[in-house]
Amino acid sequence: MKRHSIRVTARCAHVGPRGRCAKNTTITHPYCGKHTAEVLGLRVAKSRVPNAGLGLYAVRTFKKGEHIVEYTGQRMSIEDYDAKYAQDGLGSYGIEVNADTVIDAAKTSSSVARYACDYHGSGKRGPNARYESDDVKVWIVALKTIRPGEEIFTDYGHDMHLAIGII
Ligand SMILES: [Zn+2]
């Protein structure tokens, strides 16, 4: 599985009282690590799941039912998505937003939402977050209170309808 394999460096999008942040970001778009924590309350770091690569962590408390982060990426039809990934059978970042459309977060400019790992292998009995679509956008939503320092885990099996071959 080619996770997090595409990397692009871009300048942090945060604009503060003294102008735009001068830092570059490669892992967390659109913000640098500091501003991802400040603005989104999230941090990307090595997952506690062995061999899972990077994971997504809370740096503030998220309450049950709270929208943690939007799952963004390239919008495409399910037909195009299937065609794109038919050759290698991989579609790790695709999530159905409705019956016609998939959000493919494989692109570098996609949000940090794509770093949320599946809870299997984490030692947790279940996920603490899940993907929710309102037919227009997909969000990662807290299933319970998530405290600072906790890794955010979803369940790809139930939520990532098009994620073929992850489990
Ligand atoms: Zn920044």
Side-chain angles (χ1 to χ4, degrees):
M1 187 165 56
K2 288 182 253 173
R3 290 184 65 97
H4 320 314
S5 57
I6 311 161
R7 298 265 163 94
V8 161
T9 299
R11 193 167 161 197
C12 175
H14 187 265
V15 179
R18 290 188 295 170
R20 187 169 169 187
C21 176
K23 287 197 176 127
N24 286 326
T25 178
T26 303
I27 305 287
T28 57
H29 292 280
Y31 303 120
C32 68
K34 177 182 167 229
H35 286 120
T36 298
E38 261 183 41
V39 178
L40 301 176
L42 296 167
R43 183 169 72 89
V44 174
K46 189 174 186 302
S47 174
R48 288 178 188 141
V49 178
N51 303 315
L54 295 170
L56 187 64
Y57 290 83
V59 299
R60 68 168 175 85
T61 298
F62 289 94
K63 291 177 187 157
K64 182 180 178 181
E66 190 173 348
H67 286 46
I68 298 171
V69 63
E70 186 187 346
Y71 194 90
T72 64
Q74 184 183 5
R75 281 170 182 269
M76 59 177 76
S77 71
I78 288 176
E79 285 175 357
D80 287 348
Y81 184 84
D82 286 344
K84 181 180 172 185
Y85 290 102
Q87 283 189 320
D88 58 10
L90 295 173
S92 309
Y93 290 109
I95 290 190
E96 281 182 40
V97 60
N98 57 42
D100 308 313
T101 309
V102 176
I103 294 175
D104 180 8
K107 292 279 184 222
T108 51
S109 54
S110 306
S111 73
V112 294
R114 68 192 188 125
Y115 291 110
C117 286
D118 186 279
Y119 78 96
H120 289 93
S122 69
K124 304 278 184 189
R125 278 177 295 181
N128 57 12
R130 70 178 181 129
Y131 305 98
E132 273 186 24
S133 171
D134 59 10
D135 261 18
V136 180
K137 292 180 173 182
V138 172
W139 298 85
I140 292 181
V141 177
L143 286 169
K144 53 180 81 169
T145 300
I146 301 174
R147 298 204 154 73
E150 280 190 64
E151 185 167 354
I152 292 163
F153 292 115
T154 58
D155 182 344
Y156 292 176
H158 288 140
D159 300 335
M160 254 192 187
H161 305 151
L162 294 178
I164 300 154
I166 283 185
I167 295 174

